Every structure is written in C-alpha cells, then in structure tokens.
Amino acid sequence: VQLQASGGGLVQPGGSLRLSCAASGRTFENYSTGWFRQAPEKERQFVAGIDDTGVLTIYRDSVQGRFTISVDKANNVVYLQMNSLKPEDTAVYYCGAAPLWRFVKVSSKYRHWGQGTQVTVSS
C-alpha cells in the first residue's frame, strides 16, 4: 500500500488543522493506521492510531482530547483532526500502516509510511 500524507501548514496557537493520509494500491483493510511525528533532533513519537475496523482508537496523553483520528473507508483516507494546537505540536507528521493493532504504537513494526507533512504552530 502506498500512503500520501497531506494537510500540514502554519497555524497560530489554538488553531486547527486536519491531516489526511490517503492509501493507494490497497485499502486500509487489515492494517491499523498510525500517525507519528518527529521534531528536529528528537525521536519519532506516536501520536494516534486507529484499527482496521475504525472502531478502536488510541492517543498519546499530550494530544488526548485535542486530536481525533478517523477513517473514511469508502475513500481510503485516514484523518487526524488537530484542535487547540500548541507550539509543542510542531513537527513533521507521518502516517503509517501497521500489520496488527497491537503494534500500532511501535514504529519499527510499520511496513508502509507516507512521506510526511510539516505542521508548524507559531504566532
């Protein structure tokens, strides 16, 4: 499966962005999808994940209540709605496909990655 991430940009603190992760070649069926982010000189960190049914979701603590992950199965797109953005959310955001739900927080288990989209939160 090929993944294409988009939707990043520059936003003021408190603002919102919606990231998209579009799949081609195959659908998200049988894959769990995760969003990770990486700031300069920092390790890639898990942000949010959703299982292949779209029922199970999980978030890192710092984004819980502000970010929402969802899937549009008809169009093979996974979204990350980001509200109340903070400067510490600034990073390159990547989407990926993991073979099993139990691996959704483990980046080394991912088989497919999108190219990344820059999110900058600044006044």
Side-chain angles (χ1 to χ4, degrees):
V1 59
Q2 290 78 46
L3 303 177
Q4 179 76 29
S6 62
L10 173 64
V11 63
Q12 293 186 342
S16 298
L17 284 174
R18 189 177 75 162
L19 304 184
S20 300
C21 179
S24 60
R26 290 187 61 179
T27 68
F28 286 111
E29 187 175 355
N30 297 322
Y31 286 97
S32 292
T33 305
W35 284 97
F36 286 72
R37 65 188 181 188
Q38 188 165 18
E41 301 182 358
K42 292 189 177 180
E43 294 185 355
R44 186 172 296 192
Q45 62 178 211
F46 172 78
V47 176
I50 190 165
D51 76 329
D52 60 336
T53 70
V55 174
L56 298 178
T57 59
I58 189 170
Y59 301 90
R60 71 179 298 107
D61 289 346
S62 62
V63 308
Q64 183 78 46
R66 300 189 295 123
F67 291 11
T68 303
I69 189 170
S70 61
V71 59
D72 178 350
K73 292 184 180 180
N75 293 299
N76 296 323
V77 181
V78 170
Y79 297 103
L80 184 67
Q81 178 67 45
M82 305 187 297
N83 299 328
S84 302
L85 283 162
K86 304 175 180 180
E88 52 263 42
D89 294 318
T90 295
V92 177
Y93 283 69
Y94 299 89
C95 64
L100 294 172
W101 171 244
R102 61 190 176 100
F103 294 147
V104 74
K105 297 175 68 175
V106 184
S107 61
S108 62
K109 298 294 187 180
Y110 278 62
R111 295 178 179 176
H112 308 282
W113 289 100
Q115 84 287 4
T117 184
Q118 176 70 47
V119 172
T120 303
V121 185
S122 175
S123 55

